[in-house]
Each structure stands twice: as C-alpha cells, then as structure tokens.
Amino acid sequence: MILLDKPYVSFFLEDTIIRNQYPVVDTAIAREFFTSKGGVKFISEKKAANHVRQNSQELVYSNSENAISWIEQNLPFSTLPHTIGLFKDKVKFRKMVKPLFPNFYFKSVPLAELATLSSHNIPKPFIIKPAIGFFSMGVHKVDSDEEWIAIRETIALEIEEVKDLYPKEVMDATNFIIEDCIEGDEFAIDCYFNGEGKPVVLNILEHIFGSGKDVSDRVYLTSKEIVEKNIARIETFLTNVSRLAQLRNFPAHIEIRIDKSGTVYPIEVNPMRFGGWCSTGDLAFHAYGINEYECFFEQKVPDWDSILKDKAGKVYSIVILDNNSGYPASDIASFDYDKLLTHFEKPLELRKIDYSKYPVFAFLFAETKVENMVELEKILVSNLREFIVTK
C-alpha cells in the first residue's frame, strides 16, 4: 500500500498507482492529489493498519517523509517506527554503523549549544547538519576555527527561514550532528530490501558539486558508466546495512561517498521512499525504463546488463533549481522557464514549483551527451539570476 503526502506527487507516480490499482491510504491529503481523477483504490486508515497488523510482510511505500507521523501514530505495533528512527535520526544511524566504521568521528550537539560551541578540539574538516534533516538545509562544511564563528550565525538564520516548511519528523533542527568530512565521490541510490533482506539496486546517481565548499543538491546524474563502475561495491555495502538494521521489504534512498580506495562510507539513509519530490524514482524511468515503484511492489530485479547495453555516451540528470539567487521569493516577479530550457540539448521533463511556498523554482530532467557536459557544469554553479525577473 502507498502513503501519499505533501509536498509533491508526480503524474508518473499517479499513473502507476491507478494503472496497477495499488491501494492508497485514504487520508485527507492523499485525496487532495486525486481531486480530478477517478480509478484510485483507496483503503481506509483503519483497514490499512489492520493489513499491517495481520501481515508483517506488507509492502508499504511513501512518496514523502511527511507520512512518518502517520506511521508512528497508526502502526506502533509494527517494526516500521523503530526502523525509520534508526535511519532518520543521523546520530542513531552513526551509532548503528559504528561497527563498520569504528574510527569515524561524530558528535551530537543541541542547537542551543551551537552559539558557544568551540571547534578547537573537533577534527577538521568536518560537516555539521541537523540530526533530522531534509535536502541540504542547515548543512555546512567547516575547514577552520575561524570560519566556524560565521557558520554558526549562518546556521541560525537558515533554520529560522525553513523551520515551518516540513513536519518535525522530516526536519527537526533542535539537535545537530558534527561528523568527519568524507573525501571522495558522492552518490545517491534508490533501492529496496526484499523479504530476505537482500538489497535490490534500482538506480545509482552521482551527486556533483561546484566546489569543495558546495553542499547543495543542484545536480544528480546517472549513466551506464556510473552504474557499472559502482554497483558491485554498493550492493556489498547495502548488504552490511541490511544485516545491522535487520531490513525486510523496505524501500530507501541512500546517500554515500566512495573514497579513492573504493571504500563505501554512508552519509544517510532516507527511509520508506526513493528520491524526495518523486525525483530520482521518476528519473529511472526517463533514463532506463525502470519503474521503481513497480519494482518494489512486484519485487522485480532490474536486468542491468540488458538495460545498459545501448546507453553508452549518454548522461541523465536531475537539476534541482533551488533559489540560491539571493533574492527572497517576495522580490521575484517571475522565472523564465522557457529561457532555462534553451540551455539544455534534450530536456525530458520540467516540473515547475511554487517558489513562493518552497525555496525551489523547478525540477528539470534532462538527457545530455557526454561531450556536452558543459551544460550541466554551467547550471551547477549558476545563481539563476539570468532567469529571474524581480519586482
């Protein structure tokens, strides 16, 4: 069954639900997404809870971590609240994987103590971020004691701006985690763990950055080369995580770094879903014809050898057009989406977002020839002002 919640449900996910008649938990928010569509198989909240109570192997997927509160309130008898908590709280997660990475440094710090926290005794560089967070909100890399003073102030301002955007189960900045900065290439993985706890990889995306200080979520890309080079080591890592957390029938979106020696280090595990805002899950279909939602519910395993055979020389990307312009939404009259599209050789889908409500202008899916990677490199470092008309 599927739990739908804000902020976003894609047309692709809606179509998948209706075509396959996957049961959708009948909440008020879920109803909002289908106001003009029929054919949805709704299941009452009580009946949904009973299904899980009677069948511990019930497959449950949510498009949004906003639904975590529903799970906690309605499924306290199941293993889901505990498993979700292991991953959503980054401090608990670090403690769980410590046997795999005994020398990895991390420290829990309450928000109230950040203003006076000295960084002199903390190994540098380090990453600081909310223990329960979403996107890159409140995430910073600290290289020196001197810049820590300014970053403390920046964090306070950022948290104030986003404090009301998401439920506390999704974004709770009352506690932070400070941890080692892992050197290496960063990747995002959509996967599920089957009834025996075996991981099934549905997509691998490289998260590229504009600089060593960049921690934004602007560009994720996938390709034949990225998948083939990394899938074996990622599957080994996921098997270890599954063993520690005792995962069964569990979908996840996982962020990792791989260092020069090929060692896989976890950044975080996002439970019960694939990429937020129906992003990476839908890109898998654009890129490879993989319907990740169907794979999970029907326990399918992608045949990567067949899927990748004609994908050489192509890169598929998600461009998250977050508002890094420096202009508050209240000062923006419009965003030129048509002009944006001219900067890409093959746009696949553009999802416009209400930037007055969320700090994002749009999500863009694109196909790019390897020799034309410059188009992704340019948007990666853009402040987007060339597309913005101010009031």
Side-chain angles (χ1 to χ4, degrees), residues 159-213:
I159 297 306
E160 181 64 25
E161 290 178 359
V162 302
K163 65 180 182 180
D164 297 323
L165 280 183
Y166 299 97
K168 65 179 180 62
E169 293 85 3
V170 178
M171 176 74 184
D172 185 355
T174 56
N175 197 44
F176 278 71
I177 183 171
I178 290 173
E179 60 185 30
D180 279 339
C181 180
I182 306 163
E183 300 298 334
D185 297 323
E186 184 168 318
F187 298 88
I189 307 148
D190 284 340
C191 66
Y192 72 86
F193 299 84
N194 68 16
E196 298 176 351
K198 182 179 179 180
V200 177
V201 174
L202 302 175
N203 202 0
I204 301 173
L205 302 98
E206 184 171 3
H207 183 188
I208 61 175
F209 298 93
S211 69
K213 297 292 287 184

Side-chain angles (χ1 to χ4, degrees), residues 254-268:
I254 301 176
E255 297 176 13
I256 62 169
R257 278 188 183 261
I258 302 178
D259 67 13
K260 292 181 179 179
S261 70
T263 302
V264 178
Y265 289 90
I267 298 175
E268 63 185 37

Side-chain angles (χ1 to χ4, degrees), residues 6-25:
K6 295 179 180 179
Y8 186 84
V9 176
S10 69
F11 291 126
F12 180 70
L13 177 54
E14 288 181 1
D15 177 70
T16 299
I17 289 170
I18 294 172
R19 181 165 37 82
N20 291 284
Q21 286 293 281
Y22 294 143
V24 175
V25 181

Side-chain angles (χ1 to χ4, degrees), residues 92-102 237 241 244 266:
K92 289 182 180 179
F93 176 63
R94 285 295 173 204
K95 290 179 179 178
M96 182 183 73
V97 298
K98 191 171 180 60
L100 301 177
F101 308 95
F237 164 75
V241 172
L244 289 172

Side-chain angles (χ1 to χ4, degrees), residues 25-37:
V25 181
D26 193 1
T27 64
I29 293 176
R31 286 277 178 178
E32 290 180 16
F33 291 113
F34 295 100
T35 53
S36 60
K37 292 186 177 181

